[in-house]
Amino acid sequence: MTDNHPAIYSAAVGISAGAIVTGIILLFSKGWMRLNSYNQTILGIGIIHMYASLLLVLFFAGCCIPFILYNSSRRTILLHAALTGLIAAGVARILPFVGRPAYLISSLLSTIPQLLIILACGLLVVVFGGLFASFIRKDEEQGFAPLIPLAIVTIAVIILPLLLVPAGISTGIIPPTSYDTATPVSSHGSSMSVVAYRSAVYDPPTDLWVLKLSPEGAIEWEQTVDISTYDRADALTESPAGYAIAATESGQEYLTVHLVRFDSVGAYTRLPGTNIEFSPVTSIVPAPDDGFLLATETPEIMHITTTGETLWRKSLANGSQGMAPVSLLARDDGTFVAAWADQTACLDANGTMLWDVSPDAIGSGPSLAILTEADNGGVLVCTEGKHIRANNQYMVYPVVVCLSADGTVMWDQSFGSGIADTLLGVWQNGTGHTILYRTITFPKNLWGNVVHAYTSHLISLSDDGTVTGFQEIPDSGGDVIPSLYGGFLSLDTGESTITGTGYNAGGQELWTREYDVQANPYSLRGIGTTDGGYLIAVSSPS
């Protein structure tokens, strides 16, 4: 009977196989965040969840064909195995997004390499399944019954590992992995930022742990926020109503930004999520309408209202410009300043660019700039300078550029060793600004192993850029959060505690406190607050 309409039966098997296997994967997807998860690492082996599911569907569908087509023609079996597999692949790809056809179409059209990989893998696996099927011969007396155990074992060899792994993750036997890539460890305020790039780490499921400290380091309030499976703060800011944290949730082809607002005593509300391209939030500042302006590495700026609505988006990409973290500074006149790569611009509340400059002293590296206010409505931009070749090696000195209120370059000043210098913070000191930066060297210990050695420096500049002071201060290599009024907080993350040490504007130690929290390495973000204290957010295992 099936020989009369083989294409119809191939389609039926393909649709059924796609639906069944997609349903099975969905059933065991709890530990994988969602059906379209990807980039998992199990026992050190990287796999792609969606592609693995598709390969499974294709092989399963290809092996079903010989049991349905009672035809001895090897060519017929191969052709209909390919047809079945491709239909199954399409069903498995479309089914998770059946309620979002516009997204599905735009996703496939914008990710041609993904589509090509799916088709290529599908053809390879279906041909393999078809070849396997083509060597099966129907027994004249018993039909295909003797071959059923062979088919079951073959399919089980493929399907069981893929199902056992997510099942193990769901039950907690196998720890799941996060979706972190190389991301900036940064903390952002309305007038200053801290940045240090660290390598990616893989963590168990986490919640967001938020801590408000007094100027003396005492805990004023603490709060735990559960947003998704893996919670990590990207950027923090202070607003007239309290504080806000931007956290991103990873998906296969986009990120979802979740804004969490806190009042002065730690009570919080969550705004609806906003989808962005696959680049983290690098800065957030309050908008004049009580909403927020967010910047990403795309580079892009967006205006989010208090209800989570996106009022507008402003792309800062220029021609072939690649990813670049964007810093933001909110100003009292309702405008804000953005700095990315070697550019600095001023925009109004509607995203209209008022001026745009590219100071000669600033390089186009990946560092996140620190922005702070200067005299007479000006802006101080602290970032990395241009690459300079000296002594057969490239040097990159930190640089500070002072811009007037209309974007005119007033002066610039470079400093540091030129090798492994990291800006940590900037604050006003009454006669100008003080800049805190760290220099990393790599000496060898007694056993000849290379170790990291950290040294921090305080450099004071007058309002015209003249160096008026310089001193070296001890440095443990931990995360540093500058105070809005001079001084800083140094945080060292241990196995189950975080040790905080407060310093004054001169680098003298004021206090040390220990906070009982298990924090994931490199997840800490923080800002100095207007009351002289600090707001800290870390990822803590659930």
Side-chain angles (χ1 to χ4, degrees):
M1 179 178 67
T2 55
D3 289 341
N4 296 329
H5 305 284
I8 295 178
Y9 286 95
S10 296
V13 172
I15 294 173
S16 301
I20 292 172
V21 178
T22 303
I24 293 175
I25 296 298
L26 178 60
L27 181 64
F28 290 101
S29 290
K30 179 182 177 182
W32 295 63
M33 285 184 64
R34 56 162 59 112
L35 181 60
N36 61 334
S37 301
Y38 74 115
N39 283 354
Q40 293 285 345
T41 300
I42 301 298
L43 301 180
I45 301 175
I47 62 174
I48 298 179
H49 185 205
M50 178 59 77
Y51 293 162
S53 302
L54 291 180
L55 298 184
L56 171 61
V57 171
L58 297 173
F59 186 86
F60 179 76
C63 288
C64 281
I65 285 299
F67 294 94
I68 293 181
L69 293 181
Y70 299 145
N71 192 309
S72 60
S73 169
R74 185 169 299 176
R75 179 181 177 184
T76 301
I77 291 177
L78 286 174
L79 288 177
H80 288 92
L83 175 62
T84 304
L86 291 178
I87 293 174
V91 172
R93 180 66 179 90
I94 294 172
L95 195 60
F97 309 101
V98 66
R100 304 165 60 190
Y103 167 76
L104 178 65
I105 294 173
S106 64
S107 169
L108 291 176
L109 292 179
S110 62
T111 54
I112 298 300
Q114 176 191 162
L115 187 59
L116 293 177
I117 290 175
I118 291 175
L119 292 177
C121 291
L123 289 174
L124 287 175
V125 178
V126 168
V127 169
F128 174 71
L131 287 173
F132 165 79
S134 70
F135 288 103
I136 297 178
R137 289 293 180 267
K138 178 181 177 181
D139 187 91
E140 292 295 335
E141 296 181 358
Q142 303 182 55
F144 287 110
L147 299 176
I148 293 178
L150 174 62
I152 293 176
V153 171
T154 304
I155 295 176
V157 168
I158 298 176
I159 193 173
L160 286 180
L162 295 176
L163 295 184
L164 289 176
V165 167
I169 293 175
S170 299
T171 58
I173 298 175
I174 301 176
T177 60
S178 69
Y179 295 85
D180 296 340
T181 54
T183 55
V185 175
S186 57
S187 37
H188 311 282
S190 59
S191 62
M192 58 185 59
S193 310
V194 184
V195 63
Y197 279 81
R198 307 282 182 88
S199 59
V201 292
Y202 295 94
D203 307 314
T206 56
D207 291 333
L208 197 61
W209 186 76
V210 184
L211 183 66
K212 176 63 177 69
L213 301 180
S214 71
E216 296 76 30
I219 297 177
E220 296 183 350
W221 56 262
E222 58 183 305
Q223 188 65 265
T224 301
V225 183
D226 182 12
I227 300 174
S228 61
T229 305
Y230 304 102
D231 297 331
R232 186 191 63 190
D234 281 343
L236 296 77
T237 192
E238 185 171 6
S239 68
Y243 312 95
I245 296 178
T248 50
E249 176 187 357
S250 297
Q252 183 176 4
E253 292 149 356
Y254 59 87
L255 292 178
T256 300
V257 179
H258 299 276
L259 282 181
V260 185
R261 303 186 66 177
F262 297 84
D263 62 18
S264 59
V265 295
Y268 73 90
T269 57
R270 285 176 49 190
L271 302 186
T274 302
N275 291 344
I276 61 174
E277 293 185 24
F278 203 79
S279 60
V281 174
T282 57
S283 187
I284 176 174
V285 294
D289 62 351
D290 293 332
F292 297 94
L293 298 172
L294 276 69
T296 71
E297 286 187 359
T298 307
E300 181 184 56
I301 300 174
M302 63 183 69
H303 187 169
I304 308 295
T305 67
T306 53
T307 60
E309 178 188 359
T310 302
L311 283 185
W312 53 261
R313 293 173 183 258
K314 175 73 172 180
S315 174
L316 302 176
N318 183 15
S320 61
Q321 177 134 35
M323 305 292 282
V326 182
S327 299
L328 295 176
L329 171 67
R331 306 209 291 183
D332 294 336
D333 61 0
T335 64
F336 62 96
V337 176
W340 71 101
D342 60 350
Q343 294 181 265
T344 304
C346 180
L347 298 90
D348 64 17
N350 297 317
T352 302
M353 194 168 291
L354 305 178
W355 51 259
D356 179 16
V357 297
S358 299
D360 293 335
I362 295 179
S364 57
S367 295
L368 187 67
I370 299 177
L371 300 175
T372 188
E373 296 179 355
D375 284 345
N376 302 317
V379 178
L380 215 62
V381 184
C382 299
T383 184
E384 66 178 40
K386 294 184 178 296
H387 288 70
I388 301 174
R389 185 170 178 80
N391 300 323
N392 294 323
Q393 62 180 337
Y394 283 100
M395 318 276 285
V396 182
Y397 291 92
V399 63
V400 54
V401 177
C402 182
L403 304 176
S404 66
D406 61 0
T408 303
V409 177
M410 305 300 293
W411 53 263
D412 62 75
Q413 180 69 257
S414 59
F415 51 91
S417 65
I419 301 177
D421 294 321
T422 301
L423 289 164
L424 298 178
V426 182
W427 59 80
Q428 293 181 328
N429 60 21
T431 60
H433 290 80
T434 297
I435 301 172
L436 173 65
Y437 71 97
R438 169 183 291 158
T439 298
I440 306 175
T441 55
F442 306 92
K444 292 185 178 181
N445 60 15
L446 183 64
W447 312 106
N449 298 320
V450 176
V451 296
H452 289 188
Y454 304 94
T455 305
S456 285
H457 308 271
L458 289 172
I459 180 171
S460 298
L461 302 177
S462 65
D463 288 331
D464 61 2
T466 302
V467 177
T468 57
F470 179 83
Q471 68 179 102
E472 182 178 303
I473 59 176
D475 189 347
S476 63
D479 295 283
V480 171
I481 304 172
S483 168
L484 291 178
Y485 306 108
F488 57 95
L489 171 64
S490 177
L491 295 162
D492 293 296
T493 303
E495 296 249 344
S496 58
T497 60
I498 295 178
T499 301
T501 304
Y503 294 85
N504 62 18
Q508 286 84 33
E509 181 178 329
L510 298 177
W511 51 264
T512 298
R513 292 179 183 265
E514 196 169 82
Y515 309 104
D516 293 326
V517 60
Q518 185 180 355
N520 283 9
Y522 317 133
S523 69
L524 191 146
R525 307 289 190 271
I527 57 171
T529 55
T530 54
D531 61 1
Y534 304 91
L535 182 71
I536 300 169
V538 298
S539 296
S540 182
S542 302

